[in-house]
Amino acid sequence: MTTAQTLKVQLVRSPIGTRESHRATVRGLGLRKIGSVSELQDSPAVRGMINKISYLVKVL
């Protein structure tokens, strides 16, 4: 059996004052408050979203 690879992403900066599309990306990743952590499947789409808002998040 193969196990699905996952990524843990933590919101480290506030999305206030950022572009609307970046705020929507933060919400799309399932992040709300600063310090919140979301565990996501490792896929090209998720990696692209993380890359787009890399200045707001940290990959654990």
Side-chain angles (χ1 to χ4, degrees), residues 44-60:
V46 170
R47 284 183 178 262
M49 292 170 79
I50 292 170
N51 190 42
K52 182 175 181 180
I53 58 165
S54 61
Y55 63 100
L56 296 175
V57 297
K58 177 171 64 172
V59 178
L60 303 175

Side-chain angles (χ1 to χ4, degrees), residues 4-39:
Q5 295 291 341
T6 59
L7 296 170
K8 280 191 177 182
V9 181
Q10 181 179 21
L11 187 64
V12 293
R13 287 192 59 205
S14 172
I16 294 173
T18 61
R19 294 181 150 192
E20 181 62 37
S21 63
H22 290 201
R23 285 185 293 227
T25 303
V26 169
R27 295 293 307 177
L29 289 174
L31 301 170
R32 284 185 60 108
K33 298 179 178 180
I34 294 176
S36 64
V37 177
S38 183
E39 191 166 342

